Amino acid sequence: MSAKSRSALEQHSSNLAAYIRNHPEVPLADLAYTLQVGRTDFGHRRFVVANHTGELPEMLQPLGNEKGKPSRKVFTSTVEQENKPIVFMFPGLGNQYVDMGLGLYRTEPLFKQELDRCFDLLDSHLDFSMKAILFPQEARDEAVHKINRIDINQMVVFIFEYALGKYLIELGIMPKYMIGYSFGEFAAACLAGVFVLEDAIRVIIRRGQMIKGTEEGAMLSVPMTEEELRPLLPPDVSLSIVNGPSCVVGGTRPAVEQFEEQLKSLRQICIRLDTSYALHSAVMEPVREAFAEEMKQIRLYPPQIPFISNLSGNWITDEEATDPGYWGQQLTDSIRFADGLQEILKEEALTFLEVGPDRNLSALLRYFVHRDSSHTILNLIRNPQENVEDQTYLYTRLGQLWGRDTALNG
């Protein structure tokens, strides 16, 4: 609900609570539809996330009573800046989990439609069911193990982020810009129209198979800037990802273990990543050309939505996006994510949406954003440890998005 002033909003809340008490039979969906479609959106806004109409009077009524305490399920905001551009941020590998988004798959037809399309395409290439790994009905322990395999997690992350991105666009949440973290660049490129979904799935399957065949590697997160870290790097360890306040390095397992000991001797705390493959390092060099050849087999188009190149940390050019060799280099070269974020942040007042599991990119972005900035940062998918329904979590974020003046179609 919305109003032209805070006092009018409070009165509207009390009136609505009274109406529901007198008409408890009104379906929640009908009520929500009327409030959204049949009313003009004003600057003072309020939303609640509820499972049934009976919850609403108790949630809303205290807001009209000065002695009452506002419900934690009620969100009130004032639109400070209209039409802020949307930025989609796509996470990389590592945060995927079994039953990720299952609640949305069961309740959101648009999301289910896109994910089912991906499942069908994968079924035509694989001798196992990807749906049975993401949403297992049996053999759950086996699925938990498989979903972290390098040849499977890439498919899971890509189709999930692609389906979620398409779902948001169907709701009218259209990105002006996009950025992907490492492997997340593939979701950004696909939604930007660089390659069609069918081709994307085929090359991502091959990418996972190729990486699986490389020498055993390791990756290490180091809390140092690029300038601090580079002088310490031995020749056999690559600078894999530049995050700003920290970096990730990669190489063969012995090389990374030796470098880890060197850092510990300097009293530097570092964290080993849970992977046996050194992405964005020289360890991937044997498959770089082979993957570029795979990319030559599909049609590449100039992007229709601007997105950041992980390799340059700047806006990707048409020449880069349509060059098969670029996507081969993406396996071996450094990911300049911090540079990419800072490039996007040259524009004021943006709304950043983390289109994938957890909130790692949102947390990293906040390192570069001043507390008093006009940017909005929201993650959309819960961490598996958070005890909240997927739909409630997403709807709360969408409500916050609307509260900051983004119109929703659904």
Side-chain angles (χ1 to χ4, degrees):
M1 64 200 80
S2 66
K4 294 181 179 180
S5 67
R6 178 61 184 263
S7 60
L9 184 63
E10 298 294 352
Q11 186 61 53
H12 188 16
S13 295
S14 293
N15 292 344
L16 181 60
Y19 174 83
I20 296 169
R21 288 186 192 278
N22 293 327
H23 302 85
E25 76 284 353
V26 176
L28 180 61
D30 292 351
L31 184 65
Y33 180 83
T34 300
L35 288 171
Q36 181 180 348
V37 178
R39 303 286 187 274
T40 301
D41 289 335
F42 296 110
H44 294 265
R45 301 185 178 187
R46 175 169 293 155
F47 77 92
V48 300
V49 177
N51 292 314
H52 54 83
T53 308
E55 292 181 274
L56 294 177
E58 184 178 351
M59 294 164 69
L60 292 171
Q61 188 59 48
L63 295 164
N65 178 356
E66 293 182 0
K67 297 180 180 179
K69 294 183 179 180
S71 168
R72 292 182 179 180
K73 295 183 179 180
V74 177
F75 299 82
T76 303
S77 61
T78 302
V79 175
E80 297 178 354
Q81 187 158 349
E82 297 183 354
N83 302 317
K84 294 199 314 191
I86 302 289
V87 181
F88 280 4
M89 302 189 297
F90 297 96
L93 306 176
N95 290 321
Q96 70 283 343
Y97 57 92
V98 165
D99 288 340
M100 178 173 65
L102 178 59
L104 302 181
Y105 184 76
R106 289 171 171 169
T107 60
E108 298 299 312
L110 291 174
F111 178 70
K112 183 179 186 299
Q113 174 183 308
E114 294 296 339
L115 207 49
D116 280 343
R117 182 184 174 203
C118 293
F119 287 143
D120 289 342
L121 289 169
L122 286 168
D123 285 346
S124 68
H125 292 284
L126 304 173
D127 58 1
F128 59 88
S129 168
M130 189 59 64
K131 182 178 179 180
I133 293 176
L134 183 55
F135 303 138
Q137 295 184 338
E138 55 187 26
R140 184 179 178 85
D141 290 345
E142 183 180 351
V144 169
H145 170 72
K146 286 183 176 180
I147 203 168
N148 292 313
R149 277 176 30 186
I150 193 66
D151 56 332
I152 290 178
N153 61 8
Q154 294 185 73
M155 291 181 274
V156 168
V157 169
F158 173 78
I159 65 172
F160 186 86
E161 294 179 355
Y162 173 85
L164 184 58
K166 291 286 286 184
Y167 166 79
L168 295 172
I169 291 172
E170 288 290 333
L171 292 184
I173 304 170
M174 188 69 191
K176 183 178 181 181
Y177 310 121
M178 295 188 290
I179 183 172
Y181 184 90
S182 179
F183 178 69
E185 188 171 1
F186 278 82
C190 191
L191 285 171
V194 173
F195 30 70
V196 298
L197 178 63
E198 292 81 357
D199 288 341
I201 282 178
R202 187 167 65 81
V203 297
I204 287 169
I205 290 173
R206 288 292 297 131
R207 187 178 190 268
Q209 292 169 342
M210 290 179 181
I211 293 172
K212 191 176 181 182
T214 60
E215 183 179 357
E216 183 182 16
M219 302 185 79
L220 192 68
S221 178
V222 184
M224 302 173 72
T225 65
E226 178 180 4
E227 292 72 21
E228 294 168 333
L229 183 59
R230 274 199 181 277
L232 303 176
L233 278 180
D236 54 357
V237 175
S238 302
L239 179 64
S240 300
I241 306 175
V242 179
N243 290 326
S246 67
C247 294
V248 176
V249 300
T252 62
R253 182 169 294 279
V256 170
E257 288 176 346
Q258 185 174 351
F259 185 56
E260 183 177 13
E261 290 303 316
Q262 177 187 337
L263 290 174
K264 287 180 178 178
S265 70
L266 298 174
R267 299 184 181 279
Q268 285 290 341
I269 299 173
C270 37
I271 301 173
R272 187 83 66 88
L273 302 191
D274 186 18
T275 180
S276 299
Y277 302 92
L279 297 170
H280 316 303
S281 79
V283 178
M284 295 292 115
E285 191 62 40
V287 298
R288 178 175 62 84
E289 286 294 337
F291 185 65
E293 286 297 321
E294 285 291 330
M295 295 298 294
K296 287 180 182 179
Q297 307 308 310
I298 67 173
R299 183 83 178 269
L300 300 173
Y301 304 88
Q304 301 304 301
I305 302 173
F307 68 92
I308 291 291
S309 159
N310 272 185
L311 301 187
S312 69
N314 210 320
W315 300 107
I316 198 163
T317 65
D318 290 354
E319 291 74 22
E320 287 171 327
T322 56
D323 176 13
Y326 172 88
W327 299 100
Q329 269 187 277
Q330 213 255 13
L331 273 171
T332 58
D333 291 13
S334 299
I335 298 300
R336 308 201 62 81
F337 190 73
D339 292 345
L341 286 181
Q342 292 177 88
E343 180 64 30
I344 295 176
L345 287 169
K346 289 179 180 179
E347 183 167 336
E348 293 294 328
L350 299 169
T351 294
F352 291 85
L353 300 181
E354 188 160 358
V355 186
D358 214 350
R359 61 187 73 185
N360 289 357
L361 300 189
S362 299
L364 181 56
L365 175 60
R366 287 188 173 90
Y367 174 83
F368 297 98
V369 173
H370 297 296
R371 285 189 175 185
D372 58 351
S373 80
S374 53
H375 296 300
T376 298
I377 306 170
L378 295 170
N379 70 303
L380 303 177
I381 302 298
R382 67 178 179 87
N383 180 287
Q385 273 69 52
E386 292 178 280
N387 187 24
V388 59
E389 293 180 0
D390 291 326
Q391 190 181 35
T392 299
Y393 194 95
L394 177 63
Y395 279 14
T396 300
R397 298 307 188 273
L398 294 179
Q400 291 172 326
L401 192 59
W402 171 79
R404 291 167 172 79
D405 194 48
T406 296
L408 303 177
N409 292 337

